[in-house]
Amino acid sequence: MKNTLLNAVDIHKSFGTLKVLKGIDITVYESEIVAIMGKSGSGKSTLLQILGTLDNSDKGTVEIDKVEITTLKSQEIARFRNDKIGFIFQFHHLLNEFTALENVLIPAYIGQTNSKLTNDKAKELLDYLGLSERLDHKPGQLSGGEQQRVAVARALINDPLLVFADEPSGNLDQESSDELHNLFIKLKHDLNQSFVIVTHNQELGSLSDRTLYMQDGNFI
Ligand SMILES: Nc1ncnc2c1ncn2[C@@H]1O[C@H](COP(=O)(O)OP(=O)(O)O)[C@@H](O)[C@H]1O
Ligand SMILES: [Mg+2]
């Protein structure tokens, strides 16, 4: 039986009178790619934010790595998130004033890990992602696909237990999009990396191990 990385039970979330999540259950195992699909406005991003500890649910529990998130104080959550969770968004959210290498290093500095080791590791990661010639480029000097791969390296620098991605290929052309999807598969095989990916992309849906469809506040 595979290790359970995340177990969320009976997640509810409303914004005012709008009930967005109505009792979601989800379990994610190690070395697994889970795709979450569903219409725009169905609550995918809301769910991902809650699973990723960026937002609170109104009701329900989220356990990551056997830790129930609501038992942590807010500083502990920030630390936990930086250690255990990587994020990739539709828009890369790289810092424009910093180079590719510096952007990848930011979560490592926050975690106060040894700088020589992390510097080497960031270079290794960028090399693995085909960006060894782009270390000193700023985001504005990179293509959309390259920017997103830097964001992947940033998500991976602290060896996260789990990576959450919200429409990561939503802003990419077909070729870069395929490249990114293949990269997720490769990371799963090479590093046993687990992902929870919100996507509208059918191909990514079919490449994933499991696809969950959201509708009316629940999975169908
Ligand atoms: N912070 C918020 N305040 C009020 N309404 C929100 C907020 N975030 C999301 N919503 C609403 O919740 C619903 C689900 O949004 P979202 O989770 O972003 O959907 P999806 O990612 O599936 O497109 C939408 O109707 C959206 O307008
Ligand atoms: Mg969304």
Side-chain angles (χ1 to χ4, degrees):
M1 190 63 197
K2 280 192 168 179
N3 259 332
T4 300
L5 304 185
L6 176 148
N7 189 40
V9 180
D10 201 28
I11 301 298
H12 290 254
K13 182 78 175 180
S14 297
F15 297 108
T17 55
L18 178 70
K19 290 196 168 87
V20 177
L21 306 177
K22 304 177 189 169
I24 296 260
D25 297 328
I26 177 174
T27 305
V28 181
Y29 302 96
E30 71 179 335
S31 188
E32 181 181 46
I33 300 182
V34 179
I36 297 178
M37 303 186 80
K39 282 190 188 146
S40 184
S42 59
K44 303 180 300 297
S45 295
T46 302
L47 177 64
L48 209 69
Q49 299 270 321
I50 292 170
L51 298 180
T53 77
L54 292 168
D55 196 4
N56 298 315
S57 63
D58 300 332
K59 180 171 175 240
T61 54
V62 177
E63 207 178 82
I64 297 174
D65 203 17
K66 310 267 185 296
V67 176
E68 157 53 21
I69 300 307
T70 53
T71 66
L72 301 177
K73 299 188 187 76
S74 65
Q75 276 184 343
E76 290 172 330
I77 293 180
R79 174 85 209 199
F80 183 88
R81 184 189 307 131
N82 192 60
D83 283 352
K84 309 259 180 192
I85 299 175
F87 292 97
I88 302 163
F89 300 98
Q90 178 173 0
F91 301 98
H92 55 75
H93 293 305
L94 298 172
L95 299 177
N96 287 320
E97 299 307 310
F98 292 86
T99 66
L101 182 63
E102 288 163 346
N103 267 285
V104 173
L105 282 168
I106 289 167
Y109 288 147
I110 294 170
Q112 293 166 340
T113 22
N114 179 301
S115 63
K116 166 83 174 92
L117 275 180
T118 49
N119 207 56
D120 290 349
K121 187 170 155 199
K123 283 183 181 165
E124 218 174 277
L125 262 175
L126 286 164
D127 186 36
Y128 173 91
L129 299 176
L131 294 165
S132 52
E133 307 296 312
R134 300 282 184 280
L135 303 184
D136 297 324
H137 291 229
K138 292 186 175 167
Q141 302 168 315
L142 299 170
S143 72
E146 288 170 339
Q147 289 168 343
Q148 214 44 331
R149 278 182 282 143
V150 175
V152 172
R154 180 186 54 185
L156 295 174
I157 187 72
N158 287 343
D159 296 324
L161 191 73
L162 202 48
V163 172
F164 292 95
D166 196 347
E167 300 193 32
S169 50
N171 198 38
L172 298 179
D173 59 38
Q174 181 73 43
E175 192 185 339
S176 306
S177 187
D178 291 344
E179 245 174 47
L180 186 69
H181 300 160
N182 291 330
L183 177 61
F184 292 148
I185 309 295
K186 189 163 138 67
L187 286 163
K188 174 197 143 139
H189 288 296
D190 291 356
L191 307 177
N192 278 334
Q193 184 64 57
S194 292
F195 294 90
V196 178
I197 308 176
V198 167
T199 185
H200 287 291
N201 190 290
Q202 292 293 343
E203 289 156 49
L204 181 52
S206 57
L207 284 172
S208 65
D209 297 299
R210 269 195 295 152
T211 304
L212 303 169
Y213 290 90
M214 280 197 70
Q215 192 182 303
D216 295 329
N218 235 311
F219 291 132
I220 49 170

